[in-house]
Amino acid sequence: MTEPPVTTIVIAGGGTAGWMAAAALGHLLEDGYRIHLVESEAIGTVGVGEATIPQIRLFNQALGLDEDAFLRATGGTFKLGIAFDGWGAPDESYMHGFGDVGRDVGLIAFQHYWLRARRLGLAGPLDGYNLNTIAARAGRMHRGDPLTAATIPAMPYAFHFDAGLYAAYLRRFATNRDVERSEGRIVRVERDGEGGDVTALLLDSGARIAGDLFIDCTGFRGLLIEETLGAGYEDWRQWLPCDRALALPTEAAAAPLPYTRAIASAAGWQWRIPLQHRTGNGYVYCSDFTSDAAAAATLTATVEGAPLGDPRPLRFVTGRRKQAWQRNVVAIGLASGFLEPLESTSIHLIQSAIARLVKLLPALPVAAALRDEYNRQTAFEIERIRDFLILHYWANGRSEPFWQACRAMALPDSLRARIALWQEAGVIVREADELFTEDGWLQVLAGQGVAAGAHHPLADRIAPQDLGDYMKTLDLLYRREAGVMPRHADYVARHCAMPAR
């Protein structure tokens, strides 16, 4: 019997995207596939994504990674949500905590009962009805079943970690599973003269890496998807005007807290991400409203802890490739588009692209219908995340010129319709399998002061006394649960402390 043909998948570029793809494909695709990654140590990586969302746990579990070992190797800490400081108003802060907000009653979403209770003076801010937020603010952490009451849901969580160390960890994982690696700079891309597919990558060493399916993980450059195939780019700067960032790691100045901070600033926002061995800091800003020098001065003046270098600049254009999959090339990571890390979605978009590719993995030649479906799903996902990010900017309460311009922007139709539903009826609708849930949208809308004009009439069926008792009970249950959790820093030290460096 003849051996079945082997399909060679070539990944152009390493970094987080390249090694996530290599690890997943090397682990999930066995007989009949050969995975080959090409990267150059001389080409730096952006190192995108020190903060993640809970879906990263599904990716790690699919690979069979030991969670504590992974955290030790990457300097990781736990993440329960994101605190948005100064977005609604300069002196205000709210949190987008993972997990449920309150409890739905029957078919009616919790926000309708909360809206009514707030109008009657029977409920506190929304933060009091999300276990993750209460635990995060208290600096507490716990995994697994609840400690005080079986009716309390387990807390979802994500991670902060060093993206460079994560890529190195996955590189070891992948190469132990027969993923091949070639070192070298790509100097030429060969194409089929008839169909136009990519056939091989030529390296500066003279090596020729041939393949059947190519994954472009070459970052913003998009060597295969854009420079070679000309997929085109959809520019979203009219809605997300920030176009530059500075990254500055510092020494850890305090025990790490289990949440990311997104701190509004004069011309953008700053991130603060606590790792075990350092703190990640950065300033995402719009060059129309501040200079690079002023942005660097703002960042260096506001970080906590001694800087571990100079601010590292990054320039970008928010948007997406018009076709993430063109011919036999699939763009993943920054090669497919860019959304600023306001809601920590960079690594998730890599993860979801890999999962989508595996589900739609083609026989050869690539079927046009599969490619079209991949592109449709990719566009839907990133456009809905885009809308969620725009909401943060539009719903601000700040006075600086940058923020005034954000309030005055013309919104995409999809976002304008969603805001109208909330403002007129207190309704939030999650469309299909978009990433952010109703609870996520609720926390940003309420946290930044977008008022709902009404609540569902069935929420009026509960007597005020019962409604008030319900709100108090939820608050007390969650605060009691968080109160018995160990401190986050102690939890990390006990389970996944990074070896001394």
Side-chain angles (χ1 to χ4, degrees):
M1 295 178 63
T2 59
E3 291 290 329
V6 173
T7 298
T8 299
I9 300 177
V10 177
I11 301 168
T16 308
W19 285 110
M20 283 182 72
L25 297 178
H27 181 68
L28 298 172
L29 305 181
E30 297 180 353
D31 296 339
Y33 290 91
R34 174 180 174 229
I35 313 301
H36 196 145
L37 184 142
V38 177
E39 67 175 346
S40 171
E41 298 285 3
I43 300 176
T45 61
V46 173
V48 65
E50 292 181 326
T52 59
I53 58 177
Q55 285 84 344
I56 186 65
R57 295 177 57 213
L58 300 176
F59 181 83
N60 288 351
Q61 288 166 6
L63 298 185
L65 302 184
D66 178 274
E67 187 166 283
D68 289 348
F70 139 73
L71 289 167
R72 281 192 291 271
T74 60
T77 61
F78 295 95
K79 175 182 173 181
L80 300 178
I82 306 171
F84 290 92
D85 300 340
W87 288 74
D91 59 347
E92 294 178 353
S93 178
Y94 75 94
M95 187 171 287
H96 174 191
F98 304 137
D100 297 338
V101 178
R103 302 282 187 88
D104 296 350
V105 179
L107 296 176
I108 309 305
F110 172 77
Q111 78 256 19
H112 295 287
Y113 297 98
W114 177 76
L115 287 168
R116 182 183 174 221
R118 285 289 278 177
R119 293 188 177 105
L120 295 174
L122 300 173
L126 199 64
D127 279 4
Y129 305 101
N130 175 258
L131 177 58
N132 278 53
T133 295
I134 294 169
R137 294 291 195 191
R140 306 282 179 165
M141 181 60 204
H142 172 68
R143 290 178 287 186
D145 294 334
L147 299 170
T148 60
T151 56
I152 295 175
M155 287 197 309
Y157 60 90
F159 311 108
H160 306 116
F161 54 69
D162 185 310
L165 293 179
Y166 185 53
Y169 187 75
L170 292 180
R171 173 174 163 174
R172 293 190 295 271
F173 176 93
T175 53
N176 286 335
R177 283 156 180 79
D178 297 326
V179 170
E180 299 174 61
R181 177 188 176 274
S182 290
E183 165 67 29
R185 187 186 298 269
I186 301 168
V187 294
R188 188 156 66 89
V189 179
E190 286 188 358
R191 298 178 67 182
D192 176 11
E194 294 184 9
D197 282 0
V198 171
T199 55
L201 308 179
L202 272 65
L203 308 187
D204 55 1
S205 64
R208 179 180 182 273
I209 312 299
D212 302 296
L213 184 68
F214 290 79
I215 300 178
D216 189 342
C217 296
T218 61
F220 292 127
R221 181 183 180 186
L223 173 62
L224 305 184
I225 196 71
E226 190 61 46
E227 292 188 11
T228 302
L229 298 183
Y233 196 80
E234 193 171 296
D235 186 333
W236 289 342
R237 279 177 294 184
Q238 77 258 39
W239 298 309
L240 295 168
C242 290
D243 57 358
R244 299 187 185 183
L246 293 168
L248 179 62
T250 61
E251 294 179 357
L257 292 171
Y259 60 90
T260 305
R261 290 182 67 191
I263 307 162
S265 192
W269 63 280
Q270 296 172 236
W271 73 76
R272 190 167 297 163
I273 300 172
L275 310 180
Q276 292 187 45
H277 56 302
R278 62 175 174 81
T279 299
N281 305 275
Y283 187 11
V284 177
Y285 61 97
C286 179
S287 61
D288 290 341
F289 292 88
T290 191
S291 67
D292 296 339
T298 296
L299 179 60
T300 55
T302 53
V303 295
E304 298 175 350
L308 297 173
D310 296 322
R312 183 165 61 94
L314 176 67
R315 297 190 179 191
F316 55 85
V317 175
T318 54
R320 68 173 182 89
R321 299 288 172 205
K322 293 180 179 178
Q323 301 290 323
W325 186 343
Q326 181 127 320
R327 297 192 181 277
N328 66 333
V329 172
V330 182
I332 291 179
L334 298 178
S336 69
F338 180 78
L339 291 175
E340 60 189 73
L342 183 58
E343 284 281 354
S344 307
T345 53
S346 297
I347 285 180
H348 173 74
L349 286 169
I350 297 170
Q351 173 184 342
S352 64
I354 294 167
R356 190 175 301 120
L357 175 61
V358 171
K359 289 178 181 177
L360 298 175
L361 193 68
L364 296 174
V366 175
L370 279 179
R371 189 167 48 215
D372 291 346
E373 180 59 20
Y374 181 95
N375 286 326
R376 185 196 67 78
Q377 292 182 21
T378 299
F380 175 82
E381 178 180 47
I382 196 169
E383 286 170 5
R384 292 304 178 268
I385 296 173
R386 174 204 67 190
D387 286 359
F388 193 55
L389 302 189
I390 295 169
L391 173 64
H392 296 65
Y393 283 102
W394 172 82
N396 79 85
R398 302 183 65 91
S399 61
E400 296 95 336
F402 167 76
W403 294 99
Q404 292 179 26
C406 289
R407 281 198 300 276
M409 74 172 74
L411 299 176
D413 291 344
S414 51
L415 176 57
R416 190 170 59 251
R418 195 187 294 262
I419 292 171
L421 267 177
W422 169 255
Q423 289 180 319
E424 294 175 20
V427 169
I428 301 171
V429 176
R430 185 184 187 190
E431 186 177 353
D433 55 353
E434 63 179 302
L435 176 60
F436 290 106
T437 66
E438 294 92 333
D439 286 331
W441 283 89
L442 171 62
Q443 290 175 86
V444 177
L445 288 163
Q448 293 191 207
V450 182
H455 57 261
H456 197 287
L458 290 182
D460 293 324
R461 300 288 183 88
I462 298 179
Q465 179 65 46
D466 294 337
L467 181 61
D469 289 345
Y470 176 62
M471 293 294 165
K472 288 178 184 177
T473 299
L474 286 176
D475 182 81
L476 289 171
L477 279 172
Y478 292 158
R479 292 191 187 282
R480 184 182 66 176
E481 176 72 12
V484 300
M485 293 177 183
R487 298 198 62 80
H488 173 249
D490 297 337
Y491 194 85
V492 170
R494 185 181 309 125
H495 295 283
C496 50
M498 193 178 195
R501 304 184 75 185

